[in-house]
Amino acid sequence: MSHRTEGVNTERQSMIAQKMLTTNKRQKTENISGKTIAMICAGLLVIVVLSITYFIASKGLSTFFVDGVSFKEFLTHDKWDPEGEPSAYGVLPFILGSFFVTALAALIAAPLGIGAAIFMTEIFPGFGKKVLKPVIELLVGIPSVVYGYVGLTLLVPFIREQFDVLGFSLLAGGLVLALMILPTITSVAADAIEAVPQDLRNASLALGATRWQTIWNVVLHSALPGCLTAIVLGMSRAFGEALAVQMVIGNTTKLPGGLLEPISTLTSGITLNMGNTIQGTPYNNALWSMALLLLAMSFIFIVILRLLGRKRLAK
């Protein structure tokens, strides 16, 4: 009887193994169709990105190859007067304005964002996950025009009264952008800190380190690539922001002279002037060249993020 039972079990196991090894036609069809759809979507995405890049590059490069504007003059001269006689296409004030306002926003938001992330994950994780994280997610969803309007009605008058200046300034733009990118930096940095293994914390505490020594020397050191990624993500958003910055910086074509001086950025210059130009004119092509600079900076930010991601995976 036992031999018979063993034979039945062996036969059943062989049948199960045969079914598992036999290719299911329906499953094979689903796999092929799924791969095909995924490849089509990925191909369309690549085509869209290449098309946008080609369109902006073809328009932007016309300034140099069709209109005869010097590339060096375009990047290094500080006079912007496309409708003058003679016309001038120096975008240095816009470039410096974009970099300065982005750097100021990062200097303000990075310590606050990483500090908030430490508070959420290491100091009061329960309160941070239940209260702070939903609040930060709400801040991410606020439209940029709301930030700009708040800066225009509250921040600009405050700066005007306190420092006896116009109010529209690099400082106002940096503060508004810092508030905008703070949720992004906080969220990404919190995820990076949470990803640090608990064993590292326990080992540090077991060796006699205090809580703050563990956070500073172990947790932040291990999460450094992720925190840098958060800062770069915030800077990339700040660099491409247009409406909120445009409402509070003054939009002048002069070189930045200080924190309280009005400036202009590449994004504000494009949005303010593109509607007043005719397609194909040197003025219009120069604005497309500014858009090409923004696209190039976006690619640079992406490359930096990729490098930081590789470093994080290596660690």
Side-chain angles (χ1 to χ4, degrees):
M1 192 71 164
S2 60
H3 292 290
R4 186 177 179 181
T5 305
E6 290 178 0
V8 172
N9 292 334
T10 304
E11 184 179 356
R12 185 178 300 174
Q13 291 176 1
S14 62
M15 291 177 61
I16 294 174
Q18 186 176 3
K19 288 182 179 180
M20 293 178 64
L21 294 174
T22 302
T23 304
N24 191 331
K25 293 183 179 180
R26 182 179 178 182
Q27 184 179 5
K28 185 177 180 180
T29 304
E30 290 178 353
N31 290 337
I32 294 174
S33 61
K35 290 180 180 179
T36 303
I37 294 173
M39 290 179 65
I40 292 174
C41 293
L44 288 176
L45 183 61
V46 172
I47 292 172
V48 169
V49 173
L50 292 177
S51 300
I52 293 174
T53 304
Y54 172 76
F55 179 77
I56 297 177
S58 61
K59 292 281 189 179
L61 295 176
S62 298
T63 303
F64 314 111
F65 296 104
V66 177
D67 302 325
V69 177
S70 171
F71 185 73
K72 180 179 179 181
E73 175 187 349
F74 184 78
L75 292 179
T76 59
H77 284 203
D78 59 356
K79 185 179 181 181
W80 173 260
D81 189 13
E83 296 179 327
E85 291 293 339
S87 56
Y89 298 97
V91 297
L92 183 61
F94 299 100
I95 297 174
L96 292 180
S98 295
F99 277 104
F100 286 167
V101 75
T102 301
L104 179 60
L107 287 175
I108 297 173
L112 294 176
I114 295 176
I118 293 173
F119 180 84
M120 289 170 52
T121 57
E122 300 294 324
I123 309 302
F124 290 103
F127 176 77
K129 291 180 180 179
K130 292 180 180 179
V131 179
L132 290 182
K133 198 167 185 179
V135 172
I136 290 173
E137 291 174 354
L138 288 175
L139 289 176
V140 173
I142 296 177
S144 59
V145 65
V146 176
Y147 287 103
Y149 187 71
V150 171
L152 182 63
T153 55
L154 297 178
L155 185 59
V156 171
F158 176 80
I159 294 176
R160 182 185 301 124
E161 294 174 359
Q162 295 297 320
F163 300 100
D164 194 21
V165 292
L166 185 62
F168 298 94
S169 59
L170 170 61
L171 178 61
L175 291 174
V176 169
L177 278 182
L179 184 60
M180 288 184 62
I181 68 176
L182 181 62
T184 301
I185 295 178
T186 303
S187 299
V188 178
D191 293 337
I193 293 174
E194 285 183 343
V196 177
Q198 185 62 34
D199 292 341
L200 294 179
R201 299 179 178 86
N202 296 337
S204 176
L205 294 173
L207 290 173
T210 64
R211 187 180 188 183
W212 287 107
Q213 287 175 336
T214 301
I215 292 173
W216 180 259
N217 295 317
V218 177
V219 176
L220 282 182
H221 180 76
S222 301
L224 182 60
C227 294
L228 292 177
T229 300
I231 296 172
V232 174
L233 279 174
M235 292 180 66
S236 63
R237 183 187 179 188
F239 197 86
E241 180 56 42
L243 186 57
V245 179
Q246 177 183 321
M247 297 173 69
V248 298
I249 61 173
N251 303 299
T252 62
T253 57
K254 298 180 180 179
L255 289 173
L259 288 176
L260 302 177
E261 295 293 327
I263 62 168
S264 187
T265 62
L266 289 169
T267 52
S268 62
I270 294 171
T271 55
L272 287 174
N273 298 311
M274 185 63 78
N276 302 322
T277 61
I278 301 174
Q279 290 288 337
T281 59
Y283 192 176
N284 183 265
N285 291 335
L287 295 177
W288 280 110
S289 299
M290 295 168 63
L292 183 60
L293 286 177
L294 282 173
L295 183 63
M297 287 304 305
S298 299
F299 288 157
I300 292 174
F301 280 124
I302 292 172
V303 171
I304 294 174
L305 288 174
R306 296 288 294 179
L307 293 176
L308 290 175
R310 290 181 180 180
K311 183 177 180 182
R312 185 178 181 183
L313 288 175
K315 285 194 174 184

